[in-house]
């Protein structure tokens, strides 16, 4: 079973839930930017949640199918068409052999996820099919899909069409709130600058991709005076190299925060003021440039409670979809 790429869309890659266990070697976990959407897409077609599908950014691909295939599209809202006839998102449907799946213009969000019954069956690299272009790992020869590619799909064990009640999806506030846990280098900012970071409204910059999301519009940050440490750069935002956790917020020069995302580096010489909690990282993957955002300080207890709430939401969806 397979489908052919007629048009690749914009930066459409094969993704699953990533390749954990190699961050200490400088290889990021990677995987779907919006793991929630990827998981649910797989549930809708009867796959294991870790199966590989497609992640398309801003513009969907056009795909021609060689065999009858159960498909589901989740994530951002984008018109879904099979031979020109509309289909619903967050719902699985059969695309028959010879039919073409295509998409209209993006209406909301930033990324859509396309799951196929049986899952994409390209070769895995370090235990994952996720595309990591910088390392030429996974995907199709380590790159995004291209016109003419024929993508193999595993044999589906279930062709049951399912539909998700969208009331089970988390509502999105405007402006978007991103919860932050201050970290090891938080003390580098003055108390006034710490308070201002959370008080300001920030805007997603055009530089927003799988490595990180940049934010603009807030006040420049002020640092506590110090003697330059041996091995650190002269800028107050420099440190002797440190490790970056997933979701870390680095602020080069104290100007524009960058939230490090799925394909980010594992360490470097910029201080980090905190990390966006894991429960909110999927949301970042759906933010378009110019989206208004506020960062909200939380405690470890609140971060863990949010993670639990996210798991409980997924459990409810699993139960609903059987």
């Amino acid at each position: 079973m397979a489908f052919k790429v007629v048009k690749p869309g914009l930066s459409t890659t094969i993704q699953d839930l990533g390749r954990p266990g190699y961050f200490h070697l400088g290889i990021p976990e990677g995987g779907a930017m919006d793991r929630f959407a990827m998981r649910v897409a797989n549930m809708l077609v009867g796959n294991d949640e870790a199966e590989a599908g497609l992640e398309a950014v801003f513009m969907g691909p056009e795909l021609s199918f060689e065999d009858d295939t159960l498909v589901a599209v989740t994530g951002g809202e984008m018109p879904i068409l099979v031979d020109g006839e509309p289909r619903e998102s967050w719902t699985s449907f059969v695309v028959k052999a010879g039919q073409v799946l295509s998409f209209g213009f993006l209406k909301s969000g930033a990324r859509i996820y396309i799951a196929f019954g049986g899952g994409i069956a390209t070769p895995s690299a370090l235990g994952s099919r996720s595309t990591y272009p910088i390392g030429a790992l996974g995907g199709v020869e380590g790159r995004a899909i291209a016109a003419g590619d024929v993508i193999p799909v595993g044999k589906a064990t279930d062709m049951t069409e399912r539909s998700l009640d969208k009331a089970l999806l988390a509502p999105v506030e405007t402006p978007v709130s991103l919860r932050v846990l201050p970290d090891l280098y938080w003390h580098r900012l003055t108390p006034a600058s710490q308070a201002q970071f959370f008080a300001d409204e920030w805007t997603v910059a055009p530089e927003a991709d799988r490595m990180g999301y940049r934010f603009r519009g807030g006040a420049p940050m002020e640092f506590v005076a110090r003697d330059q440490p041996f091995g650190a750069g002269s800028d107050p935002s420099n440190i002797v190299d440190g490790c970056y956790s997933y979701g870390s917020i680095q602020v080069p020069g104290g100007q524009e925060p960058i939230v490090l995302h799925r394909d980010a580096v594992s360490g470097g010489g910029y201080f980090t003021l905190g990390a966006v909690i894991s429960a909110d990282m999927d949301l970042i993957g759906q933010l378009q440039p110019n989206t208004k955002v506020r960062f909200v300080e939380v405690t470890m207890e609140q971060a863990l409670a949010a993670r639990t709430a996210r798991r409980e939401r997924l459990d409810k969806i699993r139960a609903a979809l059987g």
Side-chain angles (χ1 to χ4, degrees):
M1 298 181 67
F3 61 84
K4 183 176 181 179
V5 179
V6 180
K7 297 179 182 178
L10 183 64
S11 189
T12 302
T13 55
I14 295 170
Q15 299 293 342
D16 53 28
L17 298 183
R19 50 178 62 82
Y22 302 95
F23 208 36
H24 66 294
L25 300 176
I27 300 172
E29 186 169 354
M33 289 281 283
D34 183 350
R35 290 186 179 180
F36 179 92
M38 185 79 260
R39 285 181 181 275
V40 176
N42 273 317
M43 291 183 211
L44 286 165
V45 296
N47 287 347
D48 182 275
E49 294 172 31
E51 289 288 355
L54 293 180
E55 175 183 272
V57 187
F58 298 139
M59 182 185 299
E62 185 174 313
L63 311 172
S64 175
F65 287 77
E66 296 182 0
D67 308 273
D68 292 2
T69 306
L70 188 65
V71 174
V73 182
T74 62
E77 285 299 321
M78 185 183 292
I80 306 162
L81 305 170
V82 176
D83 282 354
E85 294 296 321
R87 296 291 187 272
E88 291 293 321
S89 61
W90 303 93
T91 297
S92 55
F93 50 88
V94 174
V95 181
K96 295 186 178 299
Q99 290 189 314
V100 174
L101 174 67
S102 61
F103 298 87
F105 293 107
L106 183 69
K107 292 185 175 181
S108 65
R111 290 170 171 82
I112 61 168
Y113 292 86
I114 311 170
F116 309 86
I120 287 177
T122 50
S124 65
L126 300 178
S128 170
R129 293 183 170 90
S130 286
T131 310
Y132 177 46
I134 294 173
L137 292 173
V140 181
E141 299 176 346
R143 58 166 171 80
I145 66 171
D149 285 343
V150 177
I151 310 296
V153 175
K155 183 174 177 59
T157 58
D158 183 356
M159 292 292 283
T160 304
E161 296 184 358
R162 300 171 175 87
S163 183
L164 179 69
D165 180 356
K166 293 184 181 180
L168 292 172
L169 301 176
V172 179
E173 303 173 352
T174 303
V176 172
S177 293
L178 297 177
R179 290 166 288 187
V180 173
L181 189 65
D183 72 6
L184 182 64
Y185 302 105
W186 180 240
H187 69 281
R188 289 291 302 120
L189 297 177
T190 65
S193 193
Q194 291 173 349
Q196 193 64 47
F197 171 73
F198 290 117
D200 283 339
E201 184 175 80
W202 298 86
T203 302
V204 178
E207 300 89 351
D209 57 25
R210 291 187 52 82
M211 290 192 69
Y213 264 59
R214 184 184 292 267
F215 295 85
R216 293 175 177 163
M221 296 177 188
E222 299 175 350
F223 293 86
V224 174
R226 65 166 187 186
D227 293 329
Q228 181 181 344
F230 178 78
S234 59
D235 190 280
S237 67
N238 292 143
I239 58 170
V240 179
D241 281 10
C243 298
Y244 295 149
S245 67
Y246 167 64
S248 289
I249 306 171
Q250 63 173 213
V251 195
Q255 299 294 316
E256 297 175 347
I258 301 171
V259 178
L260 303 182
H261 221 292
R262 302 293 183 200
D263 289 352
V265 296
S266 57
Y270 289 114
F271 97 112
T272 56
L273 59 81
V276 172
I277 66 173
S278 61
D280 288 350
M281 289 300 288
D282 288 345
L283 176 57
I284 292 178
Q286 293 295 351
L287 299 182
Q288 297 181 13
N290 299 315
T291 300
K292 302 298 181 183
V293 168
R294 287 191 184 276
F295 294 102
V296 178
E297 184 176 5
V298 295
T299 64
M300 177 63 77
E301 291 72 22
Q302 290 170 317
L304 292 173
R307 186 174 68 178
T308 298
R310 181 179 179 277
R311 287 175 175 171
E312 290 174 347
R313 186 181 298 276
L314 278 168
D315 285 342
K316 289 179 180 178
I317 292 173
R318 292 183 187 107
L321 295 177

